[in-house]
Amino acid sequence: MNKNLLYKSKSLTFFTPKSSEGLGAIFLDTGISAGFPSPAEDFKEERISLDSELVKNKEATFYARVSGQSMIGAGLDDNDLLVIDRSLEPADNKIAVCFLDGEFTVKRLKMNKEGLWLQPENPDYPNIKITEDNDFVIWGIVTNVIKRVY
């Protein structure tokens, strides 16, 4: 997936999507067995573009690379690539990229009548209560995470 560097902070590095002009990668529409191998006689081959699968609103979508361990319980590990859509509405329990007091962070939103909290998914990190004293913006909602598995 092509990307253009947009901004780098201590905890996230932002990229904008760059459309690829190619045909996309080959997609084998058979299902991959995680158990016993299945015969390979019925492979149906087609092309798939990860941009078209992961980016629903190109003008409002950004990538960011995770730095840190605060969201490991949600499956967001150090160096993972996040797909962030700024056009989506924030909602309780969504994972969001937020600008908080001069820094970007990624946390789970907890919204109720008592207020708004940013909840890490690692017990070593505290919940963050958002108050009127904070410089705070919900910058976008995380829609996908791209991992390397080597």
Side-chain angles (χ1 to χ4, degrees), residues 12-142:
L12 293 167
T13 303
F14 291 90
F15 304 91
T16 55
K18 185 166 134 183
S19 295
S20 58
E21 299 298 323
L23 297 173
I26 294 174
F27 174 61
L28 301 174
D29 189 18
T30 61
I32 303 292
S33 173
F36 294 105
S38 62
E41 60 193 62
D42 294 325
F43 283 118
K44 177 181 162 192
E45 184 181 299
E46 61 183 81
R47 298 237 174 228
I48 187 171
S49 164
L50 290 181
D51 287 343
S52 66
E53 290 292 317
L54 302 178
V55 177
K56 301 304 178 204
N57 185 343
K58 182 179 174 186
E59 290 74 32
T61 299
F62 295 84
Y63 302 125
R65 190 162 308 278
V66 176
S67 295
Q69 302 291 315
S70 73
M71 293 298 288
I72 58 174
L76 305 182
D77 297 308
D78 195 47
N79 231 13
D80 284 352
L81 189 63
L82 305 178
V83 180
I84 304 155
D85 190 333
R86 295 194 69 195
S87 69
L88 297 176
E89 288 293 319
D92 184 51
N93 218 32
K94 295 286 185 182
I95 295 176
V97 170
C98 302
F99 187 76
L100 175 63
D101 298 331
E103 287 291 326
F104 282 100
T105 187
V106 59
K107 300 286 185 280
R108 187 172 302 280
L109 298 175
K110 288 299 180 183
M111 308 165 98
N112 59 36
K113 60 184 175 225
E114 284 90 37
L116 171 65
W117 286 264
L118 302 182
Q119 178 183 313
E121 296 283 338
N122 181 334
D124 294 337
Y125 293 81
N127 289 343
I128 301 167
K129 168 81 167 124
I130 302 303
T131 69
E132 58 190 37
D133 296 330
N134 293 114
D135 179 16
F136 177 74
V137 174
I138 297 173
W139 200 75
I141 302 300
V142 176

